[in-house]
Amino acid sequence: MTDTLRDLATQLDQFAQERDWQQFHSPKNLASALVVETGELLEHFQWLTEAQSRELAQEKRDAVGAEIADVLLYLIQLANALGIDPVAAAQAKLKLNALKYPVDRARGSSKKYDEL
Amino acid sequence: MTDTLRDLATQLDQFAQERDWQQFHSPKNLASALVVETGELLEHFQWLTEAQSRELAQEKRDAVGAEIADVLLYLIQLANALGIDPVAAAQAKLKLNALKYPVDRARGSSKKYDEL
Amino acid sequence: MTDTLRDLATQLDQFAQERDWQQFHSPKNLASALVVETGELLEHFQWLTEAQSRELAQEKRDAVGAEIADVLLYLIQLANALGIDPVAAAQAKLKLNALKYPVDRARGSSKKYDEL
Amino acid sequence: MTDTLRDLATQLDQFAQERDWQQFHSPKNLASALVVETGELLEHFQWLTEAQSRELAQEKRDAVGAEIADVLLYLIQLANALGIDPVAAAQAKLKLNALKYPVDRARGSSKKYDEL
């Protein structure tokens, strides 16, 4: 994890400890909370056209930013609870995706790799 | 954003450009993809007890790590598409949460702040 | 509940009992499974334009139908586990929505009632 | 579809038409709205133990019922928009599940069929 994410993880640990919230923070529950937050994020976009979603007004953009924050905070807590480094996992996944989606076959296609 | 997340964002940009995928990557679609990935993450936990979720076998833990990676990668792409710094947003949210959940009232309670 | 949904609920009960699955089917777990299935449903649409989503090929439509089935089956099981009649709840909600979204104010707007 | 679900579909159609909301109700958007509602449903359970989720207080149960209603209403609208009969799809899925999860192999196991 980067120093910054590690720092966020430490702050979140302390935040939960001070409130005696570790009892609620099983990986199962954190994964649920993560999904719930992404639902709140998606809610901002559900009736927008794609074009509208590319041109959010500032107020809406701030609201979306607050939801992105919630998602990141639960993701860090979940990764931390499981002893997983999310950045290392992301870098490994990027390498895998390069193999699964070769440029020549994936260009301009939204198909999954098993359909390419 | 930290240098590491910025670096991931740059790699993801290049990855999408090489495959002509920017056409699919509206914020609306990225938010949908983000939710879909968190659903795949939650699937690993849906029938586990909380206790079991705290003691994942290595194979399961690796599979969960790959889903955490997918969530982080879409979150970075969404934030980047909107010009939002997810780490700055998370730090701002942490400060807000400290106000919303004062230690003395929130201790040991899973209630939302408007129910405390 | 309608006779048909009641019949599905009875079949699902029996299905779970024969497999000794009631231990897994807490409302909490069923709600998670429900979200996971809607994620799988959304996956079919995530990279489509809205126009494309209105004109699915038959194969895709069948795959979406199978996901709709999964969502309905978990929804019935969740409602049944809680002693809630989903159809009565839906009819009550429709009446509420008619009050929240008066025709003259809601026409052509996707805003939520608290923003109208 | 049963007469009751058909009746709900007709009411929802009329509701959307009166408000000129069909423009927003592409299958893609309805699938997003469906996920968002299941997230709101899951939120009620995210910090509960499984045991607590089996014993909801009446007020909480009513709130969950309202979310179940929202999920059913969007599910009906999505199925209707695609010309899919959700009850027929559910009955077909139940038959498939009986083949995928034979009693003797699935008993007491939460594993997916490809892991049994």
Side-chain angles (χ1 to χ4, degrees):
Chain A
M1 219 183 295
T2 67
D3 288 349
T4 313
L5 294 192
R6 167 62 49 207
D7 181 53
L8 282 172
T10 304
Q11 286 183 67
L12 287 162
D13 257 355
Q14 189 181 340
F15 195 92
Q17 272 188 34
E18 287 170 355
R19 284 155 188 80
D20 195 18
W21 281 358
Q22 306 100 316
Q23 59 184 311
F24 305 119
H25 286 190
S26 63
K28 178 185 177 84
N29 287 3
L30 290 169
S32 293
L34 182 67
V35 174
V36 169
E37 294 301 336
T38 58
E40 293 182 9
L41 179 51
L42 183 59
E43 188 177 6
H44 289 284
F45 296 106
Q46 65 186 351
W47 305 126
L48 300 188
T49 64
E50 289 186 61
Q52 288 170 333
S53 81
R54 293 184 193 264
E55 298 172 353
L56 297 187
Q58 187 60 40
E59 191 184 11
K60 184 93 162 177
R61 200 169 141 280
D62 289 346
V64 168
E67 301 296 352
I68 286 177
D70 283 332
V71 173
L72 183 57
L73 292 174
Y74 279 121
L75 189 66
I76 289 173
Q77 288 178 90
L78 174 60
N80 200 37
L82 294 169
I84 289 169
D85 180 336
V87 171
Q91 283 164 336
K93 197 61 183 275
L94 264 180
K95 280 184 193 146
L96 196 63
N97 283 347
L99 295 174
K100 279 164 67 176
Y101 298 98
V103 168
D104 57 332
R105 290 171 66 202
R107 178 176 290 278
S109 166
S110 64
K111 288 187 181 169
K112 293 185 72 170
Y113 62 93
D114 52 3
E115 297 164 350
L116 281 176
Chain B
M1 219 182 296
T2 67
D3 289 350
T4 313
L5 294 192
R6 169 61 49 208
D7 180 53
L8 281 172
T10 304
Q11 285 183 67
L12 287 162
D13 258 354
Q14 189 180 341
F15 195 92
Q17 272 187 35
E18 287 170 355
R19 284 156 188 80
D20 196 18
W21 280 359
Q22 307 99 318
Q23 59 183 311
F24 305 118
H25 287 188
S26 64
K28 179 185 176 82
N29 287 2
L30 290 169
S32 293
L34 182 67
V35 174
V36 168
E37 294 300 336
T38 57
E40 294 183 8
L41 178 51
L42 183 60
E43 189 178 5
H44 289 284
F45 296 106
Q46 64 187 351
W47 305 126
L48 300 188
T49 64
E50 289 186 62
Q52 287 169 334
S53 82
R54 294 184 194 264
E55 299 172 353
L56 297 187
Q58 186 60 40
E59 191 184 12
K60 184 92 161 176
R61 200 168 142 280
D62 289 346
V64 167
E67 301 296 351
I68 286 176
D70 283 332
V71 173
L72 182 58
L73 291 174
Y74 278 121
L75 189 66
I76 290 172
Q77 287 178 91
L78 175 60
N80 200 37
L82 294 168
I84 290 169
D85 180 334
V87 170
Q91 283 164 336
K93 197 62 184 276
L94 264 180
K95 279 182 193 149
L96 197 63
N97 283 347
L99 296 174
K100 279 164 66 177
Y101 298 97
V103 168
D104 57 333
R105 289 172 66 202
R107 177 176 292 277
S109 167
S110 64
K111 289 187 179 168
K112 292 186 71 171
Y113 63 94
D114 51 3
E115 298 164 350
L116 283 177
Chain C
M1 220 184 293
T2 67
D3 288 349
T4 314
L5 294 192
R6 167 63 48 207
D7 180 53
L8 282 172
T10 304
Q11 286 183 66
L12 287 162
D13 257 356
Q14 189 180 340
F15 196 93
Q17 272 188 33
E18 288 170 355
R19 284 156 188 79
D20 195 19
W21 280 358
Q22 306 100 315
Q23 59 183 311
F24 305 119
H25 287 189
S26 64
K28 179 184 177 83
N29 286 3
L30 291 169
S32 293
L34 182 67
V35 175
V36 169
E37 293 301 334
T38 57
E40 294 182 8
L41 178 52
L42 183 60
E43 189 178 4
H44 289 285
F45 295 106
Q46 65 185 350
W47 305 127
L48 300 188
T49 64
E50 290 187 61
Q52 288 170 333
S53 81
R54 294 184 193 265
E55 298 171 352
L56 298 187
Q58 186 61 39
E59 192 183 11
K60 184 93 163 177
R61 202 169 141 279
D62 289 345
V64 168
E67 301 296 352
I68 286 177
D70 283 331
V71 174
L72 182 58
L73 292 174
Y74 279 122
L75 189 67
I76 290 172
Q77 287 178 90
L78 174 60
N80 200 36
L82 294 168
I84 290 169
D85 179 336
V87 171
Q91 283 165 336
K93 197 61 184 275
L94 264 180
K95 279 183 193 147
L96 197 63
N97 283 347
L99 295 174
K100 279 165 66 178
Y101 298 98
V103 168
D104 57 333
R105 290 172 65 203
R107 178 176 291 278
S109 166
S110 64
K111 287 186 181 169
K112 293 185 72 171
Y113 62 94
D114 51 4
E115 297 165 351
L116 281 177
Chain D
M1 220 184 292
T2 66
D3 287 350
T4 313
L5 294 192
R6 168 62 49 207
D7 180 53
L8 282 172
T10 304
Q11 286 183 66
L12 287 162
D13 257 355
Q14 189 181 340
F15 195 92
Q17 271 187 34
E18 286 170 357
R19 285 156 188 79
D20 196 18
W21 280 358
Q22 306 100 317
Q23 59 183 311
F24 304 118
H25 286 188
S26 64
K28 179 185 177 83
N29 287 2
L30 290 169
S32 292
L34 182 67
V35 174
V36 169
E37 294 300 336
T38 57
E40 294 183 8
L41 178 52
L42 183 60
E43 189 178 5
H44 289 284
F45 295 106
Q46 65 186 350
W47 306 127
L48 300 188
T49 64
E50 290 186 61
Q52 287 169 334
S53 81
R54 294 184 193 264
E55 298 172 352
L56 297 186
Q58 186 61 39
E59 192 185 11
K60 184 93 162 176
R61 199 168 143 280
D62 289 346
V64 168
E67 300 296 351
I68 286 177
D70 283 331
V71 174
L72 182 58
L73 291 173
Y74 278 122
L75 189 67
I76 289 172
Q77 287 177 91
L78 175 60
N80 200 37
L82 293 168
I84 289 170
D85 180 336
V87 170
Q91 284 165 335
K93 197 62 184 276
L94 264 180
K95 280 183 193 147
L96 196 63
N97 283 347
L99 296 174
K100 280 165 65 178
Y101 298 98
V103 169
D104 57 333
R105 289 173 65 203
R107 178 176 291 278
S109 167
S110 65
K111 289 186 181 169
K112 293 185 71 172
Y113 63 94
D114 52 3
E115 298 164 350
L116 282 177

